Amino acid sequence: MIVAADIIAYMEELFPQSLAEEWDNVGLQVGSASSPCRTVMTCLTVTEAAAEYAAETSVDLIISHHPLIFAPLKRVTLDNSVGRIIYSLVTHRISLFVGHTNIDRAEGGLNDWLAESLHLLDVGVLEPELDESGYGRIGRLQSKMTLASLAKYVGEVLGIQGVRIVGPNDRLVQAVAVCSGSGSHLWPAALAQGADVLITGDVKYHTALDVSSTSLAMIDAGHFGTEAVFASRLADLLEEEGKRRQWPLRVIAYEAETDPMAAV
Ligand SMILES: [Zn+2]
């Protein structure tokens, strides 16, 4: 039998918590590292539906990308969603571990998974830091394509609707920068590194306006859309490592997550 700490140690090897932003809140948020772990579930966000599914499926440990506990908590009651989720996790003896900006930044983390999903070639870090880590990635498409056709491709690959673009439909693009989640503030870095287009989520009107007067194009594939690969890719890693170490471990990727902002 393994315990949560065994999986947490592996997560730390891949995505050191020292890479997380100071304002972030990562690591073990609910439960105990010494509790037995037979089943681990990965998800992007611990919603009430995700917590309910975890309880029904006898999950021992949830690993999520978004912190459940972020703003200071004054109480854990059933009057709000965070309180209900914590209450449910504790009741069902489910621990919660969070890897957020450390997984965004780490080599082999979420931004690499996003770049791989889009089949980018020669991928490097968009905003390099001292080590191999940093926000965003930049690579190139095998051949040039129009901005409109790239946007369509992004929608298909990431399985999302309502992809929006900044720039002319017919502009040819090949050098592609990506940043999962909210990465539109990286547009000057994308431009400086010679990207033709930046694919990210949460693009604001005034950012779009600023970018539209440059040679850079932008694709807003949504915060959810650019991070949706999280659960399955992390589950794959845990599954492989579990097999390698012969852990008696069941790994589940929570598949029922949807974008709370729907396209109509
Ligand atoms: Zn996010």
Side-chain angles (χ1 to χ4, degrees):
M1 171 97 58
I2 65 164
V3 292
D6 294 311
I7 294 169
I8 292 170
Y10 176 58
M11 290 293 292
E12 184 64 19
E13 253 176 60
L14 298 179
F15 316 111
Q17 288 184 40
S18 57
L19 289 179
E21 295 281 357
E22 238 166 80
W23 52 257
D24 206 356
N25 191 27
V26 299
L28 191 67
Q29 295 204 336
V30 176
S32 162
S34 58
S35 59
C37 187
R38 291 156 295 246
T39 304
V40 60
M41 182 182 99
T42 59
C43 64
L44 185 60
T45 308
V46 192
T47 58
E48 289 186 65
E52 200 174 303
Y53 180 84
E56 284 165 3
T57 325
S58 305
V59 165
D60 301 298
L61 173 68
I62 296 176
I63 303 181
S64 76
H65 186 48
H66 294 131
L68 173 67
I69 301 174
F70 190 67
L73 276 180
K74 297 216 169 146
R75 57 188 68 83
V76 176
T77 65
L78 301 182
D79 298 337
N80 64 72
S81 172
V82 174
R84 286 192 292 272
I85 293 168
I86 295 171
Y87 192 88
S88 169
L89 296 182
V90 171
T91 303
H92 295 97
R93 298 185 154 271
I94 300 169
S95 297
L96 169 65
F97 182 83
V98 172
H100 190 213
T101 48
N102 46 327
I103 302 188
D104 289 330
R105 276 164 139 171
E107 191 189 8
L110 180 53
N111 276 287
D112 286 303
W113 302 338
L114 178 59
E116 282 166 28
S117 300
L118 299 169
H119 298 104
L120 298 185
L121 308 170
D122 304 326
V123 174
V125 178
L126 178 59
E127 197 182 56
E129 288 159 357
L130 289 177
D131 38 33
E132 300 293 301
S133 65
Y135 285 112
R137 297 294 180 266
I138 182 164
R140 61 178 176 83
L141 299 165
Q142 197 150 23
S143 54
K144 283 187 181 164
M145 59 202 296
T146 65
L147 179 59
S149 53
L150 176 61
K152 195 161 169 263
Y153 170 72
V154 167
E156 281 164 11
V157 168
L158 302 180
I160 44 172
Q161 292 174 332
V163 174
R164 296 190 296 175
I165 61 172
V166 180
N169 280 347
D170 57 354
R171 188 185 287 168
L172 289 175
V173 294
Q174 186 163 24
V176 176
V178 297
C179 186
S180 61
S182 303
S184 65
H185 62 284
L186 290 181
W187 74 263
L191 191 63
Q193 287 226 36
D196 300 316
V197 57
L198 169 63
I199 301 171
T200 187
D202 288 346
V203 178
K204 289 180 181 163
Y205 169 79
H206 283 286
T207 309
L209 208 54
D210 290 343
V211 170
S212 67
S213 64
T214 72
S215 59
L216 183 73
M218 201 151 51
I219 294 178
D220 188 337
H223 191 123
F224 176 83
T226 54
E227 296 193 327
V229 294
F230 180 86
S232 62
R233 290 299 300 263
L234 182 59
D236 288 348
L237 284 178
L238 294 170
E239 180 92 52
E240 266 171 46
E241 188 65 8
K243 278 193 185 131
R244 201 178 69 78
R245 301 205 203 183
Q246 299 185 313
W247 280 342
L249 180 68
R250 183 166 65 125
V251 182
I252 298 170
Y254 180 61
E255 307 279 4
E257 275 177 281
T258 52
D259 194 340
M261 288 184 39
V264 289

